[in-house]
Amino acid sequence: MNNRKYLLKKFMQAMITIFIVLIFNYFLFRVMPGDPIRVLIRNPRISVDALAEIRAQFGLDLPWYTQFIYYLKDLLHGNLGSSFYYREPVLNIIMERVPATLILVGTGTIISIFLGIIIGVVVAWKRGTKIDIIGLGICLILYSTPAFWFGILMVMFFAVYLRVFPTGLMSLPGVAYSSLLDQFMTSLRHLFLPVLTFTLIYIGGYAIIMRNSVIEVLNEDYIITARAKGISYIQLLKRHAVPNALLPLVSMVAINLGFVIAGAIQVETVFSWPGLGRLMYTALLNRDYPLLQGLFLFLTTCVVGANFCADILYSYLDPRVKLS
Amino acid sequence: MDDRNILEVKNLEVHFEARSGFLNNLLSREVPRIRAVDGVNFNLKKGEILSLAGESGCGKTTTGKAILRLVEPTGGKVYFRGQDLSLLTQKELREFRQQAQIIFQDPYESLNPRQTVFATVAEPLEVNRICDNTKEKEERVARALSDAGLKNPRDYFIRYPHELSGGQRQRIAIASALVLKPKFIVADEPVTMLDLSIRSGILKLMMELRDNKQISYLFITHDLSLAWLISDRIAVMYSGNIVEIGGAEQIIGSPAHPYTKALVSVIPNPERSSGTDRKLLEGEIPDPSSPPRGCKFHPRCSYAQPCCREERPLLREVEKDRFVSCHLV
Amino acid sequence: MSILEVESLTTYYKLRKGMVKACENISFSLEKGEGLGLVGESGCGKTTAALSLIRLLPENGEIMGGSININGRDIAGYTEEEMRQIRMKEISIIFQGAMNALNPVRTVGTQIVEAIKVHYNHLSDKECWERTGDLFEKVEIDRERVRDYPHEFSGGMRQRVMIAMALSCDPFVVIGDEPTTGLDVMVQAQVLQLLEDLRKEQGLGLLLISHDLACVGETCDKIVVMYAGHIVEYAPTDILFKQPLHPYTKSLMKAIPSIGQKRELIPPIPGSPPDLINPPAGCRFFARCPEAVAECERKKPVLVSVTEDHHCACLLVDSKVSDTSG
Amino acid sequence: MSDNRTVLLIKKKFSSFWKTFRQNKTGLIGLGILVLFALMAIIGPYLISYNAASVEEISTILNPPDSEHWLGTDDLGKDVLAGLVRGSRISLLVGITSTIISMLIGAVIGISSGYYGGTIDAILMRLTDVFLVIPWLPLMLVLTAILGANLLNVILVIGITSWASTARIIRSQTLSIKERPFIERARAIGSSNFHIMFSHILPNVFPLIFANTILVTAIAILSETTLSFLGMGDPTRVSWGMMLHFAFEAGATIIGAWWWIIPPGLAVVSVVLGFTFVGNALDEVLNPRLRRRER
C-alpha cells in the first residue's frame, strides 16, 4: 500500500469514528430520564401550550431523523446550541476556555513525556539494579495516585502550609499589575502547582511504557547484530534501542490523550483553573446539558484528530505499517 | 475411478484473494489473486506413500490442506474412495475427516499447550461423539498412544506438551490422528523440526502404520532425500503445479524436468567434493499473484526455448507412470 | 600460525536451578582461508561456543575458562571496550533468521554504513556508502537496493545482506551461526556457495555452525562434532566421513539418507541428551551409546589424537589407540 | 479415575503456578496489601462504629487524630477511620464488579472479533476504536449525569466504558493463537467453531484475561474514586472517593484538615498499587513475554 492510500484509509477511519460519536452524542442527550424540555425550563408550573410552543421552537415536534439532520446542519455552521447556565452559545464558551487548558495540558504533557522517556530509558538501561527498583517503584506509585488527590496534597503543602504558591486560579482577580514582568511572574506562580501536579501524575505512566518498550527492544535479535558491529552501548541505545522503543510510545501518547483530559478535569477542578476541565465540572454540577454535549463532542474530536496525527507520524517513523 | 486408488486429485485449484478490508476494497478495484495451487493432478494408491516435494511457496502444503478441505478449493475435484469431496454435506464431511487426518510440521505448535495428552488424544473422539463411555475412551486413547510407539501410555495422560521431548510430542500428534482410525494421512513436514537422531524413529513408525493398518500417506516435504528415503512415488511441485511425478528411485536417479534436475543436484552430499556438478538456479520462485507467461519455470531455466515463453506445458506421460510437464522432454 | 585458535573454552549459563554446563573444554583451530564446521544437535552447545568467541553471550552466560587466540592474541580476557574494537574488524558473525537480525525501521544500507563507520572513522559518508554498494555487488545484490528496508527483501536476500555486513570491515574470521537454516534448499545452496566462494577469494577463516552434517560436509575442510557440550570428534572432512570413530558421529552419519545406495531406515538413537545442569559423571553419550561398556559410565573420555589430525573423545577408541601404540 | 485425575491436574497446575509466583517479590507484596484490604472490607465494619456526632457534641467536629478517634473526625463529627473502613467495601465492590462487566464485554468482543475476522472484525473493531478514543472520564461523567448517580449506575458506567483496551489485547492474542497449527488440527478432527473458541482459544487467552482483569480492577477503582470526587458517586454509599469529595467541598484543603484528606487517598493508592503489583506479577508468570531471555 502506498503512503497516500494509507493516509486516506486512516482519514476515513477517523471520519467514521467521529460520525459514530456524533450519533452517539445526539441520542445520548435524548435518552435523559424525563422530558428534556422540562429539564430545560426548570419551571414545574409551565402551561401545556407554552410547552408545546417551546417544543416547536426547538424542533422537538419533528420526527427524530429530521431533528438529527437539523442537528448536523447546525454543527456544520459551528452552532452547538446555547448553554442553559451561561445563556451564551456553547462554542463561544468553549473557545474562551481553550487557551487556559492548552497552557496547562501542553506544558504538563510535554514535560512529562520528555522526563518520562528519559527516566524510562535510564531505568531500562539499569534494569535489575537498585535504580531500576526505586525508579519503577516511584513510577508505579505516581501511576496509582488519583490526580485530584495529588493536587489537593500539593495545595495543602505548598499553598496552605508553606504559603509559597497560590491555592488556585490563573491570576488574581481585580489586581492591577505594576509591569508586564510582574504580570508574567504572577501567572507563572499560578501555573506552577497545577503543571507540577499534572506532570508528576503522568510521568509514571510514560516512564513505565518506555521502560518496558526499551527492554523489549533490547531483547530483539537486531540489538545483538548491532553489538556484533562493535558499536558502543551508548550508541546502541541512541541509534537502535531508543528510536525503536519510541514507536509504541507514539501511539500510546495519542491513546493516552483520553487520560490527559481526565487529568485536566481533575487538576483544573482542584486548582479552580478556568479551563475546559473546570467548565465540564461546573456544567455537570449545573446539569447544563447543551454545554456538556458540546464539550463532549469537542474533546472527542480533539482526541480523534490527535490519533490521526499520530498515525501520520507513525507511518513516517515505521516503514512497515504501509505494507500491512 | 480406479478402485486401487484411495484418492484422485483432478485439476485442483486454490486461488486466494489478497486479504483486504472493506475500506481497501472501496479504495482500489483490482484484487490480486494469489495462485497458490494452480491445477494439480495426481492419484494416490491404497497403502502408498506419495511425497509432494518442492520449495516453500510452491503450494505443496496448500494442496494437502485443500484435499482435506481445511482450505476451500476454488476449482477442480478431489475424489476420496470414489466420493466427490466438494459435494459433501456437513455430516459427510465429519465422517470424511475421521478417515483422513493430518500431522503437522511443528510438534511444539501443533499441540494445544494447555491441554493434557489425554485431552488432546481424546478430543477427536469427543468432537465426533464417537464414544461416551469413559472407560472405553481411556482404552482407545491408550491404544492410540501405544500404536504411536509410546510405552506405558497411561503415564502420559496428565502430562502437558511442554513436559515432553520433541519426538514424544510428534508421537502424541500422531496418536491423536490415529485415534480416529484413519485410512489416509497428510503428513506435512512431520520430521523437519526434529533432530536428525529422532527423525528415523518417527519415519519408521509411519512406515509400520502403513504396513499394519494400510494407511496411505501424502508426505509433504522440502527435502528430496527424505522423500526418496520413504516414499513409493515423488511429485515435484513448482509455483502451484506438479512439474514431475514418478517412482522415487527414478525421480532421484534420473530426473527429467530441469527444475527437478537442479533440486536433485543440490541435495547435500558429503561424499562429493564441494561445489562440483551443482546446478544452482539463478533468482527466486515467481510471485504467485503474477506468474510468468508460458512455462512458469522458464525465467530460471537454462534450456528455455521460445516456445517455453509462450505456451504452458502440460503434465505428459513420458514413460510408464512417469509424468513430466516440460516441452523439451 | 592459525588465525583462530581456541583452547579448552568453557562456558556456563547461570540459571536459578544451577549452572548449565553448556560448553566445556572446546579446542580447535582455524587457518586462513579454511572452513571449519561445528556440528551437533540442538542444545549441544555449538551456538554457545560461537557466541563465546565473539563475546555476545546472553547476560547469564559466562566464559569460565580457556583461551581464544585471534592472530596470536588471547581475547578471552578482553574487556567489553577492547572487544568492541575487534568485532567486525577481526571477527564477525552472521546470525540465522535474518528477519529479526536487521533493524526493521532503518534501511539496510544505514545499518552496514554504521558498522563501517565504527571501524573506519577516517572514511567520509560518501565513501562508506560506496563501500556498502561494493559489498552488495560482492554478494550479488543490485547496489541500488542499499536504500531498501529489510522487509523489502526475501529471506535469501536478507541473508546475503547479513553476509555483506559481516564482511564490511574485512575480518579474518567469520562465524556463520546456522546461516541457512529456514531457507529453501535452492536458496540454501546459493548462500552456501556464495560463502564458500568468498572464503576462498578473500582467504577468510569461516566457522560454520550447523545442525546439518551433510551441508557442512560439503562446504568445510574440517569438522568438529559436538554432543552435550563436549567435542566428541574433530577431523578433516574426508577422513571423518571415510572413517568416523565416535559412536555418536557414526549414528549421525547413518541418519543422513545417502542417495544412490539402498533405501533403508536406520534405527534411531534411543533416549535424549542429558540434562546439562547435572551432567553424568562419565561419558555424556553413555546412556544412548550402542557400543558403551561399563567403564563409560564412570570415566570421562578426553579428546585424544588418533592420527595426526583426527581427534576423538571415546574410551573405546582411546583404548584401541593405546593398544596399538603400546 | 477421571475425577481423581482432575484433582491431580488442579493440584499440579496450582503448585507449578505458585512456585513461580512465589519468586515474584512485588507480586507477594501486592497480594499482602490486597489481603489486608479485603479483611478490612469484610470484617472491619463490625469492629468500628460510624455515627455522626449529636448536636451537643459539637466539640467532636473536625478533630485531629487522638486516642479516641485514631484518624480524627470529619465536619459531622464522624470518625474518619470508620468511614475509611466502610468506604473500602464500596470501593472494592465497585472496582471488582465493574471489572467483571468490563472483562466479559472485552473478552467476548475480542475473541469473536479475532476469531471470525472479516466483516464482524471490522465492525467490532470500529466500535472498539470509538470507545478507545472517546475521552474516558467525560464519557463516564456524562453517562452518570444522565442515568443518575447511584451505585448500580456507577458500576455499569465504569464497566461499559473500560472494556476497549481489553478487547484489543484479547483480539490480537486471539489472532496469533488462531494462526497456530493446533487450531488447524482441531479443525481437521472436525471441531465446530464454538468448540474451537471454547476449548482452544479461551484457555490460551485466559491467562491474559486473568492478568488483565487484575490490572483493570486497579483502573476501575481509580475511576470510581475520580467519579465520586467529581460529585458523580452515590451519596448514600460513601466510598473513598466520596469521602474526598465531601472533604474537598467542605474546604478541608484550606482548613488544613489533613487527617480527613490523606487516609482515603492513601487507601486508594495502596489498593491500586496492590492490584497493579499482583497484575504485573501474574502477567509475568502467566504470559512470559517481558521475562529476560535466558540462553
PDB file of all heavy atoms in Angstrom, chain B residues 55-56 195 197 200 228 231 269-270 272 274 278 281 284, chain C residues 41-42 154 184 186 190 193 196 218 241 258 263 266 268:
ATOM      1  N   GLU B  55       9.949 -26.315  -2.970  1.00  0.00           N
ATOM      2  CA  GLU B  55      10.404 -25.262  -2.068  1.00  0.00           C
ATOM      3  C   GLU B  55       9.210 -24.594  -1.402  1.00  0.00           C
ATOM      4  O   GLU B  55       8.073 -24.775  -1.836  1.00  0.00           O
ATOM      5  CB  GLU B  55      11.200 -24.220  -2.852  1.00  0.00           C
ATOM      6  CG  GLU B  55      12.492 -24.769  -3.422  1.00  0.00           C
ATOM      7  CD  GLU B  55      13.199 -23.735  -4.262  1.00  0.00           C
ATOM      8  OE1 GLU B  55      12.867 -23.604  -5.442  1.00  0.00           O
ATOM      9  OE2 GLU B  55      14.068 -23.060  -3.727  1.00  0.00           O
ATOM     10  N   SER B  56       9.482 -23.779  -0.363  1.00  0.00           N
ATOM     11  CA  SER B  56       8.350 -23.126   0.292  1.00  0.00           C
ATOM     12  C   SER B  56       7.693 -22.160  -0.684  1.00  0.00           C
ATOM     13  O   SER B  56       8.364 -21.529  -1.492  1.00  0.00           O
ATOM     14  CB  SER B  56       8.805 -22.400   1.555  1.00  0.00           C
ATOM     15  OG  SER B  56       9.777 -21.458   1.241  1.00  0.00           O
ATOM     16  N   ASP B 195      15.390 -33.256  15.539  1.00  0.00           N
ATOM     17  CA  ASP B 195      16.799 -33.531  15.346  1.00  0.00           C
ATOM     18  C   ASP B 195      16.987 -34.823  14.554  1.00  0.00           C
ATOM     19  O   ASP B 195      16.166 -35.736  14.625  1.00  0.00           O
ATOM     20  CB  ASP B 195      17.498 -33.648  16.712  1.00  0.00           C
ATOM     21  CG  ASP B 195      17.964 -32.306  17.204  1.00  0.00           C
ATOM     22  OD1 ASP B 195      18.369 -31.494  16.360  1.00  0.00           O
ATOM     23  OD2 ASP B 195      17.912 -32.069  18.418  1.00  0.00           O
ATOM     24  N   SER B 197      18.697 -37.383  14.924  1.00  0.00           N
ATOM     25  CA  SER B 197      18.734 -38.672  15.608  1.00  0.00           C
ATOM     26  C   SER B 197      17.335 -39.175  15.954  1.00  0.00           C
ATOM     27  O   SER B 197      17.161 -40.363  16.204  1.00  0.00           O
ATOM     28  CB  SER B 197      19.576 -38.565  16.876  1.00  0.00           C
ATOM     29  OG  SER B 197      19.021 -37.633  17.751  1.00  0.00           O
ATOM     30  N   SER B 200      14.428 -40.752  12.355  1.00  0.00           N
ATOM     31  CA  SER B 200      14.178 -42.067  11.778  1.00  0.00           C
ATOM     32  C   SER B 200      13.148 -42.830  12.598  1.00  0.00           C
ATOM     33  O   SER B 200      12.421 -43.652  12.049  1.00  0.00           O
ATOM     34  CB  SER B 200      15.473 -42.839  11.631  1.00  0.00           C
ATOM     35  OG  SER B 200      16.078 -42.949  12.887  1.00  0.00           O
ATOM     36  N   TRP B 228      12.913 -39.396  -1.077  1.00  0.00           N
ATOM     37  CA  TRP B 228      13.462 -40.603  -1.696  1.00  0.00           C
ATOM     38  C   TRP B 228      13.488 -41.757  -0.704  1.00  0.00           C
ATOM     39  O   TRP B 228      13.165 -42.900  -1.031  1.00  0.00           O
ATOM     40  CB  TRP B 228      14.882 -40.275  -2.174  1.00  0.00           C
ATOM     41  CG  TRP B 228      15.683 -41.473  -2.559  1.00  0.00           C
ATOM     42  CD1 TRP B 228      15.590 -42.179  -3.724  1.00  0.00           C
ATOM     43  CD2 TRP B 228      16.679 -42.119  -1.780  1.00  0.00           C
ATOM     44  NE1 TRP B 228      16.471 -43.218  -3.717  1.00  0.00           N
ATOM     45  CE2 TRP B 228      17.167 -43.209  -2.531  1.00  0.00           C
ATOM     46  CE3 TRP B 228      17.211 -41.874  -0.505  1.00  0.00           C
ATOM     47  CZ2 TRP B 228      18.154 -44.057  -2.065  1.00  0.00           C
ATOM     48  CZ3 TRP B 228      18.201 -42.725  -0.039  1.00  0.00           C
ATOM     49  CH2 TRP B 228      18.664 -43.805  -0.823  1.00  0.00           C
ATOM     50  N   SER B 231       9.355 -42.719   0.335  1.00  0.00           N
ATOM     51  CA  SER B 231       8.125 -42.813  -0.442  1.00  0.00           C
ATOM     52  C   SER B 231       8.226 -43.758  -1.624  1.00  0.00           C
ATOM     53  O   SER B 231       9.309 -44.115  -2.084  1.00  0.00           O
ATOM     54  CB  SER B 231       7.702 -41.426  -0.908  1.00  0.00           C
ATOM     55  OG  SER B 231       8.772 -40.775  -1.508  1.00  0.00           O
ATOM     56  N   ASN B 269      25.621 -33.624  -0.310  1.00  0.00           N
ATOM     57  CA  ASN B 269      26.230 -34.934  -0.401  1.00  0.00           C
ATOM     58  C   ASN B 269      27.689 -34.816   0.016  1.00  0.00           C
ATOM     59  O   ASN B 269      28.526 -34.349  -0.735  1.00  0.00           O
ATOM     60  CB  ASN B 269      26.118 -35.423  -1.840  1.00  0.00           C
ATOM     61  CG  ASN B 269      26.727 -36.800  -1.996  1.00  0.00           C
ATOM     62  OD1 ASN B 269      27.243 -37.385  -1.036  1.00  0.00           O
ATOM     63  ND2 ASN B 269      26.693 -37.314  -3.204  1.00  0.00           N
ATOM     64  N   PRO B 270      27.975 -35.233   1.225  1.00  0.00           N
ATOM     65  CA  PRO B 270      29.316 -35.023   1.760  1.00  0.00           C
ATOM     66  C   PRO B 270      30.389 -35.810   1.003  1.00  0.00           C
ATOM     67  O   PRO B 270      31.553 -35.457   1.058  1.00  0.00           O
ATOM     68  CB  PRO B 270      29.206 -35.516   3.204  1.00  0.00           C
ATOM     69  CG  PRO B 270      27.971 -36.325   3.260  1.00  0.00           C
ATOM     70  CD  PRO B 270      27.073 -35.856   2.190  1.00  0.00           C
ATOM     71  N   ARG B 272      30.759 -35.876  -2.038  1.00  0.00           N
ATOM     72  CA  ARG B 272      31.145 -35.133  -3.230  1.00  0.00           C
ATOM     73  C   ARG B 272      32.062 -33.999  -2.830  1.00  0.00           C
ATOM     74  O   ARG B 272      31.836 -33.327  -1.827  1.00  0.00           O
ATOM     75  CB  ARG B 272      29.855 -34.581  -3.856  1.00  0.00           C
ATOM     76  CG  ARG B 272      30.055 -33.716  -5.053  1.00  0.00           C
ATOM     77  CD  ARG B 272      28.698 -33.339  -5.596  1.00  0.00           C
ATOM     78  NE  ARG B 272      27.866 -32.656  -4.582  1.00  0.00           N
ATOM     79  CZ  ARG B 272      26.565 -32.488  -4.700  1.00  0.00           C
ATOM     80  NH1 ARG B 272      25.922 -32.976  -5.717  1.00  0.00           N
ATOM     81  NH2 ARG B 272      25.897 -31.843  -3.783  1.00  0.00           N
ATOM     82  N   SER B 274      33.407 -30.323  -2.844  1.00  0.00           N
ATOM     83  CA  SER B 274      32.498 -29.180  -2.805  1.00  0.00           C
ATOM     84  C   SER B 274      32.279 -28.537  -4.171  1.00  0.00           C
ATOM     85  O   SER B 274      33.184 -28.414  -4.982  1.00  0.00           O
ATOM     86  CB  SER B 274      33.055 -28.138  -1.845  1.00  0.00           C
ATOM     87  OG  SER B 274      34.258 -27.660  -2.352  1.00  0.00           O
ATOM     88  N   ARG B 278      27.016 -28.994  -9.090  1.00  0.00           N
ATOM     89  CA  ARG B 278      25.772 -28.445  -8.539  1.00  0.00           C
ATOM     90  C   ARG B 278      25.164 -27.523  -9.571  1.00  0.00           C
ATOM     91  O   ARG B 278      25.874 -26.691 -10.129  1.00  0.00           O
ATOM     92  CB  ARG B 278      26.049 -27.665  -7.259  1.00  0.00           C
ATOM     93  CG  ARG B 278      25.941 -28.524  -6.041  1.00  0.00           C
ATOM     94  CD  ARG B 278      25.737 -27.731  -4.802  1.00  0.00           C
ATOM     95  NE  ARG B 278      26.850 -26.820  -4.530  1.00  0.00           N
ATOM     96  CZ  ARG B 278      27.118 -26.364  -3.301  1.00  0.00           C
ATOM     97  NH1 ARG B 278      26.375 -26.705  -2.297  1.00  0.00           N
ATOM     98  NH2 ARG B 278      28.107 -25.530  -3.118  1.00  0.00           N
ATOM     99  N   LEU B 281      20.338 -22.617  -9.388  1.00  0.00           N
ATOM    100  CA  LEU B 281      19.423 -21.790 -10.181  1.00  0.00           C
ATOM    101  C   LEU B 281      19.633 -20.335  -9.813  1.00  0.00           C
ATOM    102  O   LEU B 281      19.926 -20.007  -8.675  1.00  0.00           O
ATOM    103  CB  LEU B 281      17.981 -22.185  -9.892  1.00  0.00           C
ATOM    104  CG  LEU B 281      17.568 -23.580 -10.322  1.00  0.00           C
ATOM    105  CD1 LEU B 281      16.158 -23.861  -9.843  1.00  0.00           C
ATOM    106  CD2 LEU B 281      17.654 -23.704 -11.837  1.00  0.00           C
ATOM    107  N   GLU B 284      14.767 -16.314  -7.813  1.00  0.00           N
ATOM    108  CA  GLU B 284      13.900 -16.950  -6.835  1.00  0.00           C
ATOM    109  C   GLU B 284      12.584 -17.351  -7.471  1.00  0.00           C
ATOM    110  O   GLU B 284      12.333 -17.015  -8.628  1.00  0.00           O
ATOM    111  CB  GLU B 284      13.679 -15.989  -5.653  1.00  0.00           C
ATOM    112  CG  GLU B 284      15.008 -15.653  -4.998  1.00  0.00           C
ATOM    113  CD  GLU B 284      14.853 -14.880  -3.720  1.00  0.00           C
ATOM    114  OE1 GLU B 284      13.713 -14.535  -3.355  1.00  0.00           O
ATOM    115  OE2 GLU B 284      15.887 -14.625  -3.071  1.00  0.00           O
TER     116      GLU B 284
ATOM    117  N   GLU C  41      23.459 -31.479  17.464  1.00  0.00           N
ATOM    118  CA  GLU C  41      22.024 -31.284  17.519  1.00  0.00           C
ATOM    119  C   GLU C  41      21.690 -30.113  18.421  1.00  0.00           C
ATOM    120  O   GLU C  41      22.567 -29.580  19.105  1.00  0.00           O
ATOM    121  CB  GLU C  41      21.372 -32.563  18.033  1.00  0.00           C
ATOM    122  CG  GLU C  41      21.500 -33.692  17.045  1.00  0.00           C
ATOM    123  CD  GLU C  41      20.949 -34.985  17.593  1.00  0.00           C
ATOM    124  OE1 GLU C  41      21.587 -35.565  18.474  1.00  0.00           O
ATOM    125  OE2 GLU C  41      19.890 -35.395  17.144  1.00  0.00           O
ATOM    126  N   SER C  42      20.373 -29.733  18.439  1.00  0.00           N
ATOM    127  CA  SER C  42      20.002 -28.570  19.232  1.00  0.00           C
ATOM    128  C   SER C  42      20.395 -28.789  20.692  1.00  0.00           C
ATOM    129  O   SER C  42      20.218 -29.867  21.228  1.00  0.00           O
ATOM    130  CB  SER C  42      18.508 -28.295  19.101  1.00  0.00           C
ATOM    131  OG  SER C  42      17.790 -29.488  19.198  1.00  0.00           O
ATOM    132  N   SER C 154      13.661 -10.713   0.233  1.00  0.00           N
ATOM    133  CA  SER C 154      13.249 -12.082   0.537  1.00  0.00           C
ATOM    134  C   SER C 154      14.247 -12.671   1.535  1.00  0.00           C
ATOM    135  O   SER C 154      15.305 -12.094   1.790  1.00  0.00           O
ATOM    136  CB  SER C 154      13.241 -12.911  -0.735  1.00  0.00           C
ATOM    137  OG  SER C 154      14.572 -13.075  -1.195  1.00  0.00           O
ATOM    138  N   ASP C 184      15.111 -22.155   1.835  1.00  0.00           N
ATOM    139  CA  ASP C 184      14.801 -23.269   0.951  1.00  0.00           C
ATOM    140  C   ASP C 184      16.064 -23.920   0.431  1.00  0.00           C
ATOM    141  O   ASP C 184      17.117 -23.288   0.375  1.00  0.00           O
ATOM    142  CB  ASP C 184      13.975 -22.759  -0.222  1.00  0.00           C
ATOM    143  CG  ASP C 184      12.519 -22.890   0.100  1.00  0.00           C
ATOM    144  OD1 ASP C 184      12.155 -23.957   0.604  1.00  0.00           O
ATOM    145  OD2 ASP C 184      11.766 -21.938  -0.137  1.00  0.00           O
ATOM    146  N   MET C 186      17.199 -24.601  -2.503  1.00  0.00           N
ATOM    147  CA  MET C 186      17.919 -23.952  -3.584  1.00  0.00           C
ATOM    148  C   MET C 186      18.623 -22.689  -3.077  1.00  0.00           C
ATOM    149  O   MET C 186      19.788 -22.461  -3.373  1.00  0.00           O
ATOM    150  CB  MET C 186      16.936 -23.616  -4.713  1.00  0.00           C
ATOM    151  CG  MET C 186      17.576 -23.124  -5.980  1.00  0.00           C
ATOM    152  SD  MET C 186      18.834 -24.257  -6.621  1.00  0.00           S
ATOM    153  CE  MET C 186      17.831 -25.609  -7.219  1.00  0.00           C
ATOM    154  N   GLN C 190      22.569 -21.724  -2.786  1.00  0.00           N
ATOM    155  CA  GLN C 190      23.128 -20.464  -3.313  1.00  0.00           C
ATOM    156  C   GLN C 190      23.964 -19.758  -2.246  1.00  0.00           C
ATOM    157  O   GLN C 190      25.087 -19.332  -2.499  1.00  0.00           O
ATOM    158  CB  GLN C 190      22.001 -19.526  -3.770  1.00  0.00           C
ATOM    159  CG  GLN C 190      21.274 -19.971  -5.020  1.00  0.00           C
ATOM    160  CD  GLN C 190      19.972 -19.186  -5.241  1.00  0.00           C
ATOM    161  OE1 GLN C 190      19.524 -18.447  -4.364  1.00  0.00           O
ATOM    162  NE2 GLN C 190      19.370 -19.355  -6.397  1.00  0.00           N
ATOM    163  N   GLN C 193      27.164 -21.593  -1.401  1.00  0.00           N
ATOM    164  CA  GLN C 193      28.117 -21.428  -2.491  1.00  0.00           C
ATOM    165  C   GLN C 193      28.804 -20.068  -2.391  1.00  0.00           C
ATOM    166  O   GLN C 193      30.012 -19.943  -2.520  1.00  0.00           O
ATOM    167  CB  GLN C 193      27.378 -21.561  -3.826  1.00  0.00           C
ATOM    168  CG  GLN C 193      28.294 -21.541  -5.036  1.00  0.00           C
ATOM    169  CD  GLN C 193      29.122 -22.824  -5.109  1.00  0.00           C
ATOM    170  OE1 GLN C 193      28.585 -23.929  -5.145  1.00  0.00           O
ATOM    171  NE2 GLN C 193      30.444 -22.687  -5.105  1.00  0.00           N
ATOM    172  N   GLU C 196      31.281 -19.962   0.357  1.00  0.00           N
ATOM    173  CA  GLU C 196      32.474 -20.716   0.022  1.00  0.00           C
ATOM    174  C   GLU C 196      33.366 -19.918  -0.945  1.00  0.00           C
ATOM    175  O   GLU C 196      34.595 -19.858  -0.776  1.00  0.00           O
ATOM    176  CB  GLU C 196      32.058 -22.036  -0.607  1.00  0.00           C
ATOM    177  CG  GLU C 196      33.137 -23.085  -0.557  1.00  0.00           C
ATOM    178  CD  GLU C 196      32.666 -24.392  -1.161  1.00  0.00           C
ATOM    179  OE1 GLU C 196      31.456 -24.699  -1.050  1.00  0.00           O
ATOM    180  OE2 GLU C 196      33.501 -25.083  -1.759  1.00  0.00           O
ATOM    181  N   GLU C 218      29.818 -30.771   2.915  1.00  0.00           N
ATOM    182  CA  GLU C 218      30.032 -30.358   1.543  1.00  0.00           C
ATOM    183  C   GLU C 218      30.860 -29.093   1.436  1.00  0.00           C
ATOM    184  O   GLU C 218      31.545 -28.883   0.444  1.00  0.00           O
ATOM    185  CB  GLU C 218      28.676 -30.148   0.885  1.00  0.00           C
ATOM    186  CG  GLU C 218      28.680 -30.490  -0.569  1.00  0.00           C
ATOM    187  CD  GLU C 218      27.297 -30.332  -1.142  1.00  0.00           C
ATOM    188  OE1 GLU C 218      26.820 -29.200  -1.278  1.00  0.00           O
ATOM    189  OE2 GLU C 218      26.688 -31.352  -1.455  1.00  0.00           O
ATOM    190  N   PHE C 241      34.383 -38.527   7.204  1.00  0.00           N
ATOM    191  CA  PHE C 241      33.318 -39.248   6.517  1.00  0.00           C
ATOM    192  C   PHE C 241      33.743 -40.664   6.147  1.00  0.00           C
ATOM    193  O   PHE C 241      32.930 -41.577   6.116  1.00  0.00           O
ATOM    194  CB  PHE C 241      32.866 -38.480   5.266  1.00  0.00           C
ATOM    195  CG  PHE C 241      31.835 -37.443   5.592  1.00  0.00           C
ATOM    196  CD1 PHE C 241      32.198 -36.149   5.937  1.00  0.00           C
ATOM    197  CD2 PHE C 241      30.489 -37.771   5.597  1.00  0.00           C
ATOM    198  CE1 PHE C 241      31.255 -35.212   6.271  1.00  0.00           C
ATOM    199  CE2 PHE C 241      29.533 -36.825   5.920  1.00  0.00           C
ATOM    200  CZ  PHE C 241      29.916 -35.538   6.262  1.00  0.00           C
ATOM    201  N   SER C 258      21.572 -41.562   2.205  1.00  0.00           N
ATOM    202  CA  SER C 258      22.601 -41.487   1.174  1.00  0.00           C
ATOM    203  C   SER C 258      22.041 -41.999  -0.138  1.00  0.00           C
ATOM    204  O   SER C 258      21.825 -43.195  -0.332  1.00  0.00           O
ATOM    205  CB  SER C 258      23.851 -42.258   1.586  1.00  0.00           C
ATOM    206  OG  SER C 258      23.462 -43.443   2.238  1.00  0.00           O
ATOM    207  N   ARG C 263      17.784 -48.002  -0.004  1.00  0.00           N
ATOM    208  CA  ARG C 263      16.886 -47.217   0.840  1.00  0.00           C
ATOM    209  C   ARG C 263      16.559 -48.000   2.087  1.00  0.00           C
ATOM    210  O   ARG C 263      15.896 -49.024   2.015  1.00  0.00           O
ATOM    211  CB  ARG C 263      15.590 -46.916   0.088  1.00  0.00           C
ATOM    212  CG  ARG C 263      15.767 -45.966  -1.066  1.00  0.00           C
ATOM    213  CD  ARG C 263      14.452 -45.370  -1.434  1.00  0.00           C
ATOM    214  NE  ARG C 263      13.586 -46.329  -2.101  1.00  0.00           N
ATOM    215  CZ  ARG C 263      12.311 -46.097  -2.360  1.00  0.00           C
ATOM    216  NH1 ARG C 263      11.757 -44.969  -1.990  1.00  0.00           N
ATOM    217  NH2 ARG C 263      11.583 -46.988  -2.981  1.00  0.00           N
ATOM    218  N   ILE C 266      17.525 -46.348   9.257  1.00  0.00           N
ATOM    219  CA  ILE C 266      18.364 -46.864  10.315  1.00  0.00           C
ATOM    220  C   ILE C 266      17.645 -46.679  11.641  1.00  0.00           C
ATOM    221  O   ILE C 266      16.800 -45.784  11.774  1.00  0.00           O
ATOM    222  CB  ILE C 266      19.723 -46.141  10.337  1.00  0.00           C
ATOM    223  CG1 ILE C 266      19.507 -44.628  10.359  1.00  0.00           C
ATOM    224  CG2 ILE C 266      20.565 -46.505   9.149  1.00  0.00           C
ATOM    225  CD1 ILE C 266      19.707 -43.987  11.651  1.00  0.00           C
ATOM    226  N   PRO C 268      16.721 -45.304  15.185  1.00  0.00           N
ATOM    227  CA  PRO C 268      17.033 -44.017  15.801  1.00  0.00           C
ATOM    228  C   PRO C 268      17.943 -44.193  17.007  1.00  0.00           C
ATOM    229  O   PRO C 268      18.040 -45.286  17.565  1.00  0.00           O
ATOM    230  CB  PRO C 268      15.664 -43.502  16.238  1.00  0.00           C
ATOM    231  CG  PRO C 268      14.840 -44.726  16.430  1.00  0.00           C
ATOM    232  CD  PRO C 268      15.327 -45.715  15.427  1.00  0.00           C
TER     233      PRO C 268
END
